[in-house]
C-alpha cells in the first residue's frame, strides 16, 4: 500500500474512533513520524495531505527542513544540550527534555527571535525505562518553564507501556487528568495555551484519542510497505 492509502485509511478510522467517543476528528492532529524515510518519501506524504512530521535526530531534522521548509516539524527525540540551537532553529514543537535544558532553549530561541513551543514529557506509567517528569514533578517543571520568556509550554506528552491496551488507556487517561489539573492552576491566558496532549502511537493511538489526545504520533502504520527505511 502507498502512504496515501495508509493515510486516508488512518483518517477514516480516526473519524470513526472520534465518533465512538463523542469527539470531533478536527481536534486530533496526526503527526507522521518520518524518522525512517527520506525527503522524497516525505514529499509523497505531503502530496497525500500530511503536513506535520516527527523527527528524532537534529542533523536529519535540519536536512529535511532545508529541503521542505514549509512543513511543520516536531522534534520528538532525546535532547542533547549541544544540539539545542540546531533543534530550535528547525522545530515548531519540541518534547523529551530535562529541566536543565530550559535555559538553553530560552537562549537559543531568543537569538532567533522566536518563542519555542514545548511539551513536558511525563512518565505516567512509572516505568524505569521511560524518561520524563513524574506527575508530581510536572507542576514544578511547568512553573519553572513559565519563568523563561522564549519558551511556551503548550501541554504534555507521554509514552504508554507496550503490549496491553487497557494499561495504555489508563496511562493516557492519567495524562489527561494531569493536564486538566495543571491547567486549572494557570491564569486564563496561559491555560488557554496549555491544551495539547501528545500521546498514542501506531499500536495504541485509538485508546489515546478516546482519552483526549490532541496529537497522535504515527510512523510504522503510515510508512510501512510504502518506502525503504533510510536510517536506524
Amino acid at each position: 500500500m502507498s502512504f496515501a492509502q495508509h493515510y486516508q485509511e488512518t483518517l477514516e478510522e480516526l473519524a470513526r474512533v472520534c465518533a465512538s467517543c463523542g469527539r470531533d476528528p478536527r481536534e486530533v492532529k496526526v503527526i507522521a513520524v518520518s524518522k525512517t524515510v527520506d525527503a522524497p518519501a516525505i514529499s509523497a506524504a505531503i502530496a497525500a495531505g500530511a503536513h506535520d512530521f516527527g523527527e528524532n535526530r537534529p542533523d536529519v531534522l535540519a536536512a529535511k527542513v532545508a529541503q521542505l521548509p514549509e512543513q511543520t516539524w516536531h522534534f520528538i527525540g532525546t535532547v542533547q544540550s549541544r544540539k539545542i540551537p540546531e533543534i530550535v532553529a528547525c522545530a515548531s514543537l519540541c518534547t523529551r527534555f530535562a529541566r536543565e535544558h530550559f535555559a538553553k532553549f530560552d537562549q537559543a530561541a531568543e537569538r532567533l527571535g522566536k518563542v519555542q513551543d514545548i511539551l513536558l514529557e511525563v512518565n505516567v506509567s512509572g516505568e524505569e525505562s521511560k524518561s520524563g517528569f513524574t506527575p508530581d514533578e510536572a507542576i514544578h517543571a511547568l512553573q519553572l518553564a513559565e519563568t523563561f520568556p522564549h519558551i511556551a509550554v503548550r501541554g504534555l506528552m507521554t509514552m504508554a507501556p507496550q503490549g496491553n491496551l487497557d494499561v495504555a488507556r489508563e496511562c493516557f487517561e492519567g495524562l489527561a487528568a494531569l493536564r486538566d489539573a495543571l491547567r486549572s492552576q494557570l491564569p486564563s491566558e496561559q491555560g488557554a495555551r496549555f491544551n495539547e496532549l501528545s500521546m498514542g502511537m501506531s499500536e495504541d493511538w485509538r485508546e489515546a484519542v478516546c482519552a483526549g489526545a490532541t496529537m497522535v504520533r504515527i510512523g510504522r502504520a503510515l510508512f510501512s510497505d510504502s518506502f525503504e527505511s533510510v536510517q536506524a
Side-chain angles (χ1 to χ4, degrees), residues 78-210:
T78 302
V79 170
Q80 296 178 321
S81 292
R82 62 188 177 86
K83 294 290 187 178
I84 287 175
E86 190 173 9
I87 294 168
V88 173
C90 297
S92 296
L93 185 69
C94 301
T95 64
R96 308 197 69 185
F97 46 84
R99 190 191 311 260
E100 57 266 25
H101 294 139
F102 289 165
K104 292 182 179 180
F105 266 95
D106 185 75
Q107 292 163 6
E110 182 179 18
R111 286 193 293 269
L112 292 170
K114 67 180 285 189
V115 175
Q116 179 63 64
D117 286 343
I118 66 174
L119 300 179
L120 300 181
E121 182 182 14
V122 182
N123 183 357
V124 179
S125 68
E127 289 182 288
E128 292 184 4
S129 61
K130 287 192 166 46
S131 59
F133 300 104
T134 68
D136 287 340
E137 291 171 339
I139 180 60
H140 302 294
L142 176 59
Q143 291 169 342
L144 176 61
E146 292 293 342
T147 67
F148 293 100
H150 295 92
I151 57 177
V153 183
R154 296 298 310 279
L156 307 176
M157 73 83 72
T158 198
M159 298 175 66
Q162 293 182 309
N164 188 319
L165 294 179
D166 290 334
V167 172
R169 177 73 172 264
E170 291 177 4
C171 180
F172 299 144
E173 290 173 346
L175 190 74
L178 178 63
R179 189 275 312 269
D180 292 345
L182 296 180
R183 194 177 185 184
S184 70
Q185 300 177 40
L186 296 173
S188 57
E189 184 176 342
Q190 289 176 257
R193 295 198 312 265
F194 187 75
N195 61 346
E196 302 288 2
L197 286 173
S198 178
M199 54 192 192
M201 299 188 293
S202 291
E203 66 277 3
D204 56 17
W205 67 263
R206 301 158 190 84
E207 286 69 29
V209 167
C210 287

Side-chain angles (χ1 to χ4, degrees), residues 54-72:
E55 293 288 332
N56 68 343
R57 288 171 49 181
D59 55 337
V60 176
L61 171 66
K64 290 177 179 177
V65 169
Q67 295 176 76
L68 299 165
E70 300 303 316
Q71 308 311 307
T72 300

